[in-house]
Amino acid sequence: NVYHGKGSRPFKALEGFNNVDSKVLSGNYNGYVIGSEDEMGRMSETGESVTKVLIPGLPDESNGECGAQISSCFWQWKPKFNVHYEKSGAENVNSPPLLFLPGFGVGSFHYENQLKDLGREYRVWAIDFLGQGMSLPFEDPTSPSRQEGITEGKDFLWGFGDKTEPWANGLVYSMDLWRDQVRHFVEEVIGEPVYIVGNSLGGFVALYFAACNPQLVKGVTLLNATPFWGFFPNPMKSPRLARIFSWSGTFPLPANVRKLTEFVWQKISDPESIADVLRQVYADHSINVDKVFSHILETTQHPAAAASFASIMFAPQGELSFREALSRCHMNNVPICLMYGKEDPWVKPVWGRQVKKQVPEAPYYEISPAGHCPHDEVPEVVNYLLRGWIENLESEGAVGLPLLDDMEMESIRNNITRDLEFVREGSKKSVMVRFLGSKFSLWNLIKSSLKSRFGKLETKSP
C-alpha cells in the first residue's frame, strides 16, 4: 500500500473510506458568517469611510480561464523519507520564488488556491513537514513489539515497537527538525532566497527559519501564526530542566505513551472529530471543505500517523521562542507582513496585534469574516494582499502597499478599513479588511472605537 513516484499518493485509505460521509461539513449558510451585525459595525466605525475595492477572483475554469498547473513531487532529504511538495509556475523564471508552509495536521494541499492562482505569475512551492501530510516515513521506525496487548491486532501502527531502527535514531518531529527541513529545501530544491508564507504552525516555523537564516529570506508573511509550540523545554536552551523529562518525542514510544496515544488517536482521527475541528476554524460554513476533510482523513490512515502525532506532541520547544524569533527577524531587517482572520477561535486578533506592536512597521491586515485559515477561506483576498506586498518590496516602495496605493504614506492614520469585493462561482462576495498602519497602538484603537460609539449615541439622543 505504499507508492512512490511523481504525482502518486504514498498510501491508500483504509477500506470503507468511501462510506464516510464527507458532507458532514455542509452548512445551511448562504454567505459569509460573522458574530453579529454589531461586530461588523465595529469594523467600520473607525472614523474612516469604508471604501469598496473590487479585486480579482480566482481563475474561473468554467469560463475557460486556466490556473497554473500543479506538480506533485518528492524530495529525499533523510533516509526512509520522501518529503512531499507541490509546485507551480516553474516557467516564470524571472519572478520571485514563494514557499508556503502548512499548519498542523494539514499539508501542501491546503495551498491549492495559491498554487493555481499565484503560480500564474510567480514560482510557487508548498511542502509537507516531516511527520505530516505525505511526508511520513515509508518504513516502520521501530521493530515490531513483543509486548502483548500493545499492538496486538494493530500491526498497522508503526513506531509502537520495542527497538528503534538505526535510520530513526534521534528522530523527533520538532520545530528544530522542521526549521532544518525548510533550510535544506530552500538551498537544495529552490536554490535562492524566498518569500516564505506560513499559516498557524507553519507561520511559527517560517519565522523561526527566517530568524536563523535571514540570508535565505526575502520576506515573511504570517497567516494567523501560532505564537507558541511545544510543551517541553529545549535541551540546548534549558539542559537541566530538559533532563527532568524522561522522554522527548524520540522512537520508540514508551509503553505508557503507546497506550495514551492509542486512546487519544482513536478520538481525534474519528471523521466526526475532524469535521468538528473544521467547523471551528472556518468562519464561513458555506465553503466546501470536502477536499481538506478527505486529505486529513486519508493522512490519519497511514500506519505511521499515530506515533508521529505522539512525537510531535512530546517534542521539545524550539531553541527560540516566537517572540525571540520575531525580534531576531526585526534586528536583521527581514520584511514581515501580517494577515489575520478576525474570527479565528484559536489565534485571536489580540495575538496578531501583539506581533504588530513588536514590529510596528510591518503591514497588518485583519480580514473579516475569516477564521484560522484565511488563505483557504478567502484566498482571493490573501492572494491580492500578498501580490501587492511583494510588488511593494520588489519595487523598493515605488508600488504602494495594498489598499494604500491611492494615498500618500504620510496621511496613513492608525487604521483604515476597506470593503473588498470579488466574484466567486458567479456570485459577488464581500470581505472587510482593516489595515493597521505604523502609528497603530492598542490604546489608539480602543480610543477610536470608544469615540465612534459615543458619537453614535450622541447622534441618536433627542
Side-chain angles (χ1 to χ4, degrees):
N1 289 343
V2 180
Y3 296 86
H4 303 290
K6 187 172 179 178
S8 65
R9 303 294 292 175
F11 54 85
K12 291 182 180 178
L14 291 182
E15 292 182 9
F17 170 71
N18 291 333
N19 295 327
V20 175
D21 182 10
S22 63
K23 297 297 181 182
V24 71
L25 302 165
S26 301
N28 296 320
Y29 303 97
N30 294 319
Y32 287 96
V33 179
I34 194 165
S36 64
E37 291 182 6
D38 181 56
E39 192 171 359
M40 178 64 87
R42 286 200 297 273
M43 284 292 292
S44 58
E45 292 166 7
T46 61
E48 288 281 346
S49 61
V50 179
T51 303
K52 289 189 177 182
V53 179
L54 182 64
I55 65 172
L58 298 174
D60 188 354
E61 296 179 359
S62 64
N63 288 334
E65 190 176 359
C66 295
Q69 184 176 357
I70 300 174
S71 300
S72 179
C73 311
F74 291 95
W75 161 66
Q76 186 168 346
W77 175 44
K78 286 185 174 292
K80 310 301 180 182
F81 278 99
N82 281 332
V83 174
H84 176 256
Y85 67 96
E86 296 184 343
K87 66 177 182 178
S88 65
E91 67 279 6
N92 303 319
V93 292
N94 295 320
S95 66
L98 280 63
L99 175 61
F100 289 86
L101 306 183
F104 174 62
V106 291
S108 55
F109 64 83
H110 215 200
Y111 289 112
E112 180 179 345
N113 287 317
Q114 282 66 48
L115 288 156
K116 282 187 175 181
D117 185 14
L118 297 173
R120 296 184 295 175
E121 306 163 45
Y122 304 103
R123 290 170 291 149
V124 184
W125 288 264
I127 68 171
D128 293 1
F129 289 134
L130 286 180
Q132 299 192 72
M134 292 168 62
S135 292
L136 289 161
F138 51 82
E139 286 187 14
D140 192 337
T142 60
S143 56
S145 175
R146 295 183 299 275
Q147 193 170 348
E148 294 184 6
I150 297 297
T151 59
E152 186 177 353
K154 298 180 181 296
D155 56 356
F156 62 90
L157 291 180
W158 292 356
F160 280 56
D162 295 320
K163 185 178 179 181
T164 306
E165 296 291 346
W167 63 268
N169 280 330
L171 175 66
V172 54
Y173 299 115
S174 66
M175 289 288 294
D176 290 336
L177 178 73
W178 296 326
R179 174 202 60 191
D180 293 344
Q181 177 190 352
V182 173
R183 177 174 64 84
H184 282 272
F185 186 83
V186 171
E187 291 177 338
E188 298 175 22
V189 179
I190 300 178
E192 61 183 284
V194 298
Y195 288 101
I196 191 162
V197 185
N199 170 236
S200 190
L201 166 64
F204 194 162
V205 176
L207 195 69
Y208 189 22
F209 160 72
C212 298
N213 306 277
Q215 76 282 1
L216 296 177
V217 179
K218 293 170 72 71
V220 179
T221 298
L222 303 182
L223 302 170
N224 289 71
T226 181
F228 43 80
W229 191 263
F231 302 102
F232 300 97
N234 185 283
M236 299 296 293
K237 190 175 182 179
S238 307
R240 292 183 180 178
L241 189 59
R243 280 196 290 269
I244 298 175
F245 301 93
S246 58
W247 186 64
S248 57
T250 55
F251 294 91
L253 276 62
N256 59 337
V257 175
R258 298 179 211 171
K259 293 178 181 179
L260 176 63
T261 299
E262 285 191 25
F263 174 77
V264 173
W265 189 247
Q266 287 177 358
K267 300 292 184 182
I268 66 173
S269 63
D270 179 77
E272 185 60 37
S273 298
I274 297 170
D276 283 340
V277 170
L278 291 178
R279 290 191 195 100
Q280 289 180 43
V281 299
Y282 283 77
D284 180 3
H285 291 182
S286 71
I287 290 179
N288 187 333
V289 292
D290 288 348
K291 279 187 177 180
V292 177
F293 174 82
S294 297
H295 278 297
I296 295 173
L297 186 61
E298 186 178 3
T299 300
T300 66
Q301 314 306 322
H302 193 288
S308 298
F309 167 77
S311 177
I312 292 170
M313 290 296 99
F314 284 87
Q317 299 168 349
E319 294 180 32
L320 299 177
S321 68
F322 186 93
R323 189 174 182 84
E324 289 168 339
L326 188 63
S327 295
R328 188 175 292 188
C329 285
H330 191 219
M331 181 179 63
N332 288 320
N333 297 314
V334 175
I336 294 174
C337 182
L338 311 172
M339 301 183 197
Y340 282 73
K342 186 173 183 289
E343 283 68 49
D344 188 344
W346 298 342
V347 183
K348 294 182 178 292
V350 64
W351 292 109
R353 291 173 183 171
Q354 285 295 327
V355 177
K356 171 66 175 174
K357 187 176 180 181
Q358 194 173 345
V359 282
E361 72 283 358
Y364 177 104
Y365 297 94
E366 190 172 275
I367 308 167
S368 179
H372 188 60
C373 311
H375 62 284
D376 193 47
E377 193 166 0
V378 282
E380 299 89 347
V381 176
V382 169
N383 293 358
Y384 169 78
L385 296 175
L386 190 56
R387 274 189 179 99
W389 180 64
I390 292 174
E391 288 176 8
N392 174 260
L393 290 178
E394 290 293 305
S395 68
E396 298 182 345
V399 176
L401 286 168
L403 309 184
L404 303 175
D405 51 358
D406 59 341
M407 303 176 60
E408 293 295 326
M409 293 302 291
E410 292 80 3
S411 67
I412 295 176
R413 303 176 74 175
N414 293 316
N415 56 84
I416 296 166
T417 303
R418 296 286 184 264
D419 188 350
L420 270 56
E421 291 187 341
F422 52 91
V423 175
R424 181 188 293 173
E425 297 178 349
S427 300
K428 184 173 286 187
K429 299 289 185 179
S430 180
V431 172
M432 200 78 76
V433 177
R434 170 182 283 167
F435 172 87
L436 302 182
S438 58
K439 296 181 181 180
F440 162 77
S441 72
L442 290 175
W443 173 237
N444 284 337
L445 184 62
I446 293 170
K447 285 197 299 182
S448 175
S449 297
L450 290 174
K451 182 178 179 180
S452 62
R453 283 186 169 278
F454 282 119
K456 195 173 181 180
L457 289 174
E458 290 174 5
T459 303
K460 288 182 179 180
S461 61

